[in-house]
Amino acid sequence: MTIQWFPGHMAKARREVSEKLKLVDVVFELVDARLPLSSRNPILDELIGQKPRVIILNKSDLADERQTKAWVLYFKEQGISAVPIIAQEGKGMQKVMAEAKLLLKEKFDRMKSKGINPRAIRAMSIGIPNVGKSTLINRFIKKNIAKTGNKPGVTKGQQWLKLGKELELLDTPGILWPKFEDPEIGKKLALTGAIKDNLLQMDDIALYGLNIMRTYYPQQLMKRFKINQEELALDLPELLMLISEKRGFRDDYSRASEMIVYEIRSGKVGRYTLDHAPVHFETIEEA
């Protein structure tokens, strides 16, 4: 299966992000906790450079808890702060602010020593579609959007959203899409909902999801779809047919595929992570 998904005008996106980075103190890079690497834009490391950054692992309630801890440790080893959150419920937001303050403490201390009055942290959030960027912004500003007006050097149309006296978020309507060469990344993004379903062959995504779940989370798959160990070992198309029958879809494999993808995507089959962290798990409990 090949997913055709073109990233658009990357050169324009690079230029726009570079210009906006000059206006902020810190970058909030939002990713899907189930895809800490695959849901990142590959050009961001180059663009952000030494700018302070917090990687926000959203939808952590859907991700494998142990893997999330491993990813936090992995990013820490790379010198990058990472915070798991559940934007939909507003959980973890204070931790994001705490990390941002910690990263900027030296800068703000220098400003204070020069007699510059304390001001709000200026941040920019970046994230691919469906990682929860809008939800994050709404939670930060608590749905009371206060536009603070154009800052010096800000081009017309770019607005700052204010959260009390602590945070000003640069509202960036342009969303960067990742550019990927590996078709596996496309499948992962499709399974988690980052690519519109009408661009996909849902039966292919369902088969991919079934394979992932039976490989890494077999007990969850067996429990959800009421299948035994022997049935779990069936060829993937046969497994799809079996689940279709058990759910009453008979030969309607299209509807069965949509159901399987939805139940995996929404966490009904259990928590899972598709990108596995390259760290030693025995060190996680110490992190």
Side-chain angles (χ1 to χ4, degrees):
M1 175 186 62
T2 301
I3 298 173
Q4 297 294 335
W5 192 34
F6 299 98
H9 303 292
M10 294 300 290
K12 180 181 178 182
R14 291 166 71 106
R15 184 173 66 252
E16 288 181 350
V17 171
S18 294
E19 291 171 355
K20 292 169 184 174
L21 278 171
K22 300 172 185 175
L23 309 173
V24 302
D25 303 308
V26 63
V27 173
F28 292 155
E29 183 184 352
L30 199 62
V31 302
D32 189 320
R34 298 166 296 178
L35 305 169
L37 283 187
S38 297
S39 61
R40 297 184 70 204
N41 191 303
I43 70 169
L44 282 182
D45 284 336
E46 175 189 343
L47 287 178
I48 294 174
Q50 299 303 310
K51 178 74 69 173
R53 165 174 33 172
V54 179
I55 290 182
I56 301 175
L57 299 158
N58 192 26
K59 304 183 182 180
S60 60
D61 55 323
L62 299 176
D64 182 330
E65 288 182 273
R66 199 164 184 227
Q67 281 290 335
T68 298
K69 290 180 180 178
W71 278 110
V72 170
L73 178 60
Y74 168 79
F75 286 123
K76 181 180 179 181
E77 291 174 346
Q78 309 303 309
I80 302 173
S81 297
V83 179
I85 72 164
I86 309 172
Q88 194 69 42
E89 300 175 11
K91 293 183 178 179
M93 313 298 278
Q94 292 182 340
K95 178 66 173 176
V96 173
M97 280 303 301
E99 286 295 321
K101 289 177 181 178
L102 188 62
L103 287 172
L104 297 171
K105 184 179 185 305
E106 187 176 330
K107 175 180 180 177
F108 277 64
D109 284 347
R110 287 198 306 268
M111 292 169 63
K112 187 176 180 180
S113 68
K114 295 178 182 178
I116 301 174
N117 291 330
R119 62 165 173 79
I121 292 173
R122 294 170 185 163
M124 175 173 66
S125 63
I126 297 177
I128 70 168
N130 208 40
V131 293
K133 181 171 171 282
S134 297
T135 304
L136 176 78
I137 291 174
N138 287 336
R139 286 295 179 182
F140 262 128
I141 60 180
K142 298 178 181 177
K143 296 186 178 180
N144 295 317
I145 300 178
K147 295 181 179 179
T148 62
N150 288 341
K151 298 290 182 182
V154 183
T155 58
K156 187 177 181 180
Q158 295 176 356
Q159 297 289 339
W160 294 80
L161 308 176
K162 189 173 184 179
L163 171 59
K165 297 180 180 180
E166 287 195 318
L167 180 69
E168 292 178 2
L169 272 173
L170 180 58
D171 184 20
T172 55
I175 299 177
L176 294 177
W177 289 69
K179 180 180 181 181
F180 53 85
E181 307 295 338
D182 184 356
E184 185 78 4
I185 294 177
K187 295 175 185 177
K188 291 177 179 180
L189 291 167
L191 183 61
T192 53
I195 302 176
K196 292 181 179 179
D197 288 345
N198 59 10
L199 300 176
L200 308 169
Q201 295 292 329
M202 294 302 285
D203 55 340
D204 286 338
I205 303 303
L207 292 174
Y208 175 75
L210 288 174
N211 189 48
I212 288 290
M213 296 305 293
R214 78 171 180 182
T215 300
Y216 297 103
Y217 306 99
Q219 296 302 320
Q220 294 175 193
L221 189 65
M222 288 190 290
K223 180 179 179 180
R224 181 63 187 178
F225 294 118
K226 296 179 173 56
I227 54 180
N228 57 40
Q229 196 75 45
E230 184 178 343
E231 292 168 332
L232 186 70
L234 291 170
D235 289 339
L236 286 173
E238 293 179 350
L239 182 58
L240 173 59
M241 288 188 284
L242 176 66
I243 292 173
S244 300
E245 293 171 7
K246 284 179 177 288
R247 286 297 182 89
F249 290 108
R250 296 190 177 182
D251 297 332
D252 193 346
Y253 302 125
S254 294
R255 283 184 61 202
S257 295
E258 291 175 4
M259 174 272 297
I260 289 169
V261 171
Y262 168 75
E263 296 209 355
I264 293 175
R265 184 181 290 171
S266 62
K268 292 182 181 298
V269 185
R271 300 169 73 138
Y272 64 95
T273 297
L274 301 179
D275 290 341
H276 287 192
V279 300
H280 297 295
F281 275 93
E282 59 267 21
T283 65
I284 293 174
E285 298 305 323
E286 302 171 5

